[in-house]
Amino acid sequence: MIEVNEHIERRLAELPALPGVYIMKNAQGKIIYIGKAKVLKNRVRSYFDGSEHNGHRAATLMLPFIRDIEWIITETEEEALILEANLIRKHTPKYNVLLKDDKHFPYLAFSVKEPFPRLFLTRSVHKDDCQYYGPYMSSRIIAQLTDLSARLFHIRECRMSLPQSKPVRPCLNYHIGRCDAPCAGLISQEDYAKNVAQARLLLEGKRDDLVELWEKEMQEASENLDFETAGKKRDAIQALQSTGIHQKTDLSDPNLSLDILTIRRNGTLAAAVILEYRAGVLTGRRHYRLECKLEDDETEIFRQMILPWYMDVPMIPAEIATDVVLPEDAESLKAALSNKANRKVNFVNPQRGEKIGFLKLAVANADMILVEMRAEVQKYSEIDQSVFELQKVLGLKKTPFRIECVDISHLSGTNTVASLVAFKNGKPDKSNYRKFIIKTVEGVDDFASMREVMTRRIRRLEDEGTPMPDLWVCDGGKGQVDATMQILKELGHDQDLPLIGLAKRLEEIVFPDDRESIVLHRTSPALKLLQNARDEAHRFAITYQRSKRKKDLEVEWLKMPGVGHETRVKILSKYKSAEAFMAAPVEDIVDLLGKVRGMRLREQVGDIYSAEEPGQADE
């Protein structure tokens, strides 16, 4: 476990379980590392729990310099991978240079300005006469698309300059039905253009439009008794629907510079997110945290903030797409931005198409930032003040937002169990209560039982990548605390997991080192918090012990010497549980089993069922 400051711990706790890109920054706010993740929460936390950087030289070097973490949510891991590459090329972070090459993702280029356009793979986008599609995750997807384009639309695969001055002999692709041989003059430029238009529908992801078009053509051919053409359209529809290609492009127009802007608001807090698309691809995110008056709606925020947001950026895009209702003076705002950009800048409110999808992505990022802002505000408004007093009286470096306390319970050395209770922000966090059946300890040995529980608990937190609690509370005095600290040392957490004990006799707080124990005033909120944690652990352990004892009794209460099969059947036909058997009138038991056998069995069951609850040792 790597020691981190309170800010990083809070950021780790705020990480979403979503795909995206994470950005590590140093104390000066400079980006030092960019990475992608299928699940941001798991990936980023792994850097700090010691599991990710083993054998990873760059991670080992950069960890001491990380002072802040940001992230950008994406819809899929594939989009995160593409965004990561774009951001790395844009920012060239220090520690990515050691690990990443500058290999670009592949695109499909369609030479649409040629008389007979062709498709080809490229790894860079140029300002030329081609239409670019992508980027794609692999060349395999591009191979599938080019194959479909040849089979369904007869888009040529050769590099020949067309049209030729003299027709040439068609190649093999013509004879196997993959090309209409424009090189031989066997298809006109107009008919070939129709094939190109349909191929572009496929590449732009408009498969439904393409299928609808073909179904209409198939119906018309069938009505005209042109069954050969109808059959070809049917086969084409089936071939298209059988493919699993679902590549999401960035922008269909690779030359468009576009910002996607959204504002999310909750009370006096608001978050604005601007996704930047440059040369057709998502290249970054800007976000702003705002405090606004309650009556200021999103439109008013937009009106007041749009100019400050863009006055200091190096390039203002030609188009700003937003879901915010535009203010009445939108034309004046556009004129001011156009004057700053030395070109026309336009606002749009998309209603359909690809920009709606990009707006949803921006909204998801804005919602996440707003959640972070609310969490920071609630950090002090919803946290019991006893937490901060406890930090003060104990001299803790970190505020004990999360406290865990364990209690061991047994019945005369048998059925040993343990309970673990968690307090979050000074209040019981019952979703994180845990029960343990002690598996490795025989008889009465609370220290050995505590070792097993703490080992299992800490290993589980490590495996899950969950931060350790801010404070561990031990029920007992100096002996219990020192023994528990020894367990933490064995587990390698004696430095990052603060430990104290609460002795019952004087309710004094005991430390594992040479510090003198302290006694707080009985009305102290900090003492009340520790007592609540200790008593709740005791209550939870007793409840678990009792329920387990009853459960065991329900299974075993008739499996005792002197009770045969016929007697069990006779009893269970009337009494379904030990509790019902013990609650029955004596006369009924005697009538069922006879006086001697009935009373003997009643006494045997009663000895177990009414056993005293397990006691708790003082210090």
Side-chain angles (χ1 to χ4, degrees), residues 446 475-477 480 503-505 615-619:
D446 286 350
D475 180 17
Q480 285 88 341
K504 278 187 178 178
R505 184 172 301 167
Q616 297 296 310
D618 286 336
E619 59 172 302

Side-chain angles (χ1 to χ4, degrees), residues 370-388:
L370 195 57
V371 168
E372 295 171 13
M373 295 174 66
R374 293 178 60 191
E376 292 175 1
V377 172
Q378 293 169 354
K379 175 180 178 182
Y380 294 99
S381 63
E382 295 187 358
I383 295 173
D384 195 293
Q385 293 303 306
S386 62
V387 173
F388 300 105

Side-chain angles (χ1 to χ4, degrees), residues 267-287:
T268 59
L269 301 179
V273 164
I274 300 174
L275 298 182
E276 300 173 332
Y277 288 83
R278 301 294 181 263
V281 297
L282 176 61
T283 60
R285 181 194 78 179
R286 287 189 289 139
H287 66 272

Side-chain angles (χ1 to χ4, degrees), residues 495-619:
Q495 299 297 323
D496 64 341
L497 207 170
L499 167 70
I500 63 166
L502 184 62
K504 278 187 178 178
R505 184 172 301 167
L506 298 175
E507 298 289 43
E508 63 178 336
I509 299 174
V510 182
F511 300 94
D513 48 30
D514 296 332
R515 289 175 60 186
E516 293 185 3
S517 59
I518 59 176
V519 178
L520 301 179
H521 192 276
R522 59 185 179 83
T523 62
S524 168
L527 178 61
K528 294 292 185 183
L529 175 57
L530 295 177
Q531 289 173 327
N532 289 342
R534 191 240 352 248
D535 295 344
E536 181 70 354
H538 180 64
R539 180 201 64 80
F540 195 45
I542 291 295
T543 302
Y544 183 39
Q545 173 64 248
R546 183 185 300 125
S547 64
K548 186 176 185 300
R549 190 167 70 249
K550 286 185 177 181
K551 183 178 179 181
D552 293 342
L553 185 59
E554 297 300 333
V555 176
E556 304 291 340
W557 70 288
L558 290 179
K559 295 181 180 179
M560 56 183 66
V563 181
H565 176 70
E566 293 184 3
T567 303
R568 292 193 187 97
V569 173
K570 186 182 292 187
I571 295 174
L572 291 174
S573 65
K574 190 171 183 179
Y575 306 108
K576 303 301 183 183
S577 68
E579 186 175 10
F581 181 77
M582 292 302 298
V586 175
E587 296 78 7
D588 292 351
I589 302 296
V590 173
D591 290 342
L592 183 65
L593 301 174
K595 183 175 182 179
V596 176
R597 186 169 55 165
M599 297 311 295
R600 184 180 70 247
L601 181 59
R602 174 104 164 194
E603 183 179 355
Q604 289 175 316
V605 175
D607 287 342
I608 301 175
Y609 190 73
S610 60
E612 293 184 357
E613 294 180 353
Q616 297 296 310
D618 286 336
E619 59 172 302

Side-chain angles (χ1 to χ4, degrees), residues 171-187:
C171 67
L172 180 61
N173 278 352
Y174 169 76
H175 298 288
I176 62 176
R178 293 176 62 90
C179 183
D180 289 331
C183 58
L186 300 182
I187 183 173

Side-chain angles (χ1 to χ4, degrees), residues 12 15 22 24 37 39-48 69:
L12 293 176
L15 283 161
Y22 54 94
M24 309 259 192
V39 180
L40 283 165
K41 175 183 289 187
N42 298 343
R43 177 65 171 174
V44 178
R45 281 183 174 180
S46 67
Y47 282 92
F48 298 91
I69 305 170

